[in-house]
Amino acid sequence: DDAAVVVVEAMIFYSFFKTLVGQEVAVELKNDVALVGKLHNIDQYLNIKLLEAKVVDPQRYPQLTAMTSIFIRGSVVRYITIPKEHVDVALLQDAARKASKS
Amino acid sequence: MATALKEWVDKQISVITCDGRNIVGQLRGFDQVTNVILDECHERVFSMEAGVEQVVLGLYIIRGDNIAVIGELDAGLDAQTDLSAVRAPALNPVVHA
């Protein structure tokens, strides 16, 4: 199974982002591009698929204006901004605690 | 791999590479590390001095390491933009630091 090449740990963040599918998120990339859109899907590499996406500064980045569905490679993400209301902090802390024990 | 690019096969897509280039073409294939096969592709070179220059490339394989973003090109929106009138600086390269 090719997926075994990547070290599969507790996948805390993968599981966490799966709970946010459908929410509007903002993604800032390592090339400084900022995008917003609805989180449609995420995978074990934290590759992101955004729907109804738009680039925050379309004048600066016309290359991205004709794209409404965007796939972002996990390795180029700098930040993902998420709605605070949808974060269960206690659950996350608990998962992190369990992961650090093993 | 849930975020499969399967639904975009044979569709027109736009790839932003890690060195800041924009390559447009038809997606023919991909794999788990996001290596991509692009058919009939061309590079769109953006600059502040002149309109968008389109450089024809043909059939390309782009290695996944070098891919930042893949977007489904909305044909309608793309047709609306007059590329010769667009002035924009080049995209920054991806910096992993």
Side-chain angles (χ1 to χ4, degrees):
Chain A
D1 186 353
D2 288 314
V5 169
V6 173
V7 174
V8 174
E9 312 147 321
M11 305 221 290
I12 307 176
F13 287 101
Y14 169 56
S15 308
F16 168 66
F17 282 116
K18 293 268 284 189
T19 69
L20 293 177
V21 166
Q23 300 305 325
E24 175 115 328
V25 297
V27 183
E28 183 177 317
L29 309 182
K30 291 175 180 172
N31 58 6
D32 303 332
V33 172
L35 303 162
V36 292
K38 209 173 276 184
L39 181 64
H40 181 249
N41 221 330
I42 190 146
D43 66 15
Q44 53 177 318
Y45 307 106
L46 304 187
N47 292 331
I48 293 167
K49 193 168 228 179
L50 291 181
L51 292 194
E52 297 164 32
K54 47 190 224 326
V55 54
V56 168
D57 189 352
Q59 304 281 22
R60 169 70 178 84
Y61 301 114
Q63 300 88 337
L64 290 133
T65 48
M67 305 183 196
T68 47
S69 295
I70 299 183
F71 170 91
I72 303 166
R73 204 164 190 272
S75 55
V76 302
V77 173
R78 184 182 290 143
Y79 306 123
I80 302 177
T81 312
I82 50 190
K84 201 159 116 178
E85 322 77 70
H86 291 96
V87 179
D88 185 345
V89 179
L91 202 64
L92 263 179
Q93 284 180 336
D94 204 49
R97 202 172 304 124
K98 288 200 185 110
S100 67
K101 279 209 184 111
S102 58
Chain B
M1 195 177 75
T3 28
L5 296 168
K6 209 165 42 164
E7 32 197 74
W8 292 350
V9 170
D10 293 331
K11 293 226 173 92
Q12 184 86 313
I13 58 165
S14 181
V15 175
I16 311 284
T17 57
C18 289
D19 55 358
R21 285 195 257 209
N22 183 199
I23 304 186
V24 173
Q26 296 216 302
L27 179 65
R28 290 286 181 239
F30 63 95
D31 64 10
Q32 311 90 302
V33 291
T34 339
N35 292 327
V36 146
I37 300 176
L38 271 190
D39 202 357
E40 293 164 17
C41 66
H42 60 270
E43 180 184 345
R44 289 184 179 174
V45 184
F46 291 73
S47 80
M48 293 302 285
E49 287 76 45
V52 179
E53 183 196 351
Q54 308 210 65
V55 181
V56 175
L57 301 169
L59 181 61
Y60 260 40
I61 291 181
I62 305 179
R63 197 178 153 88
D65 305 345
N66 193 44
I67 291 178
V69 166
I70 300 177
E72 186 185 10
L73 217 47
D74 181 316
L77 281 172
D78 198 42
Q80 273 171 26
T81 34
D82 175 14
L83 289 172
S84 60
V86 175
R87 299 285 182 279
L91 287 161
N92 290 334
V94 169
V95 177
H96 289 283

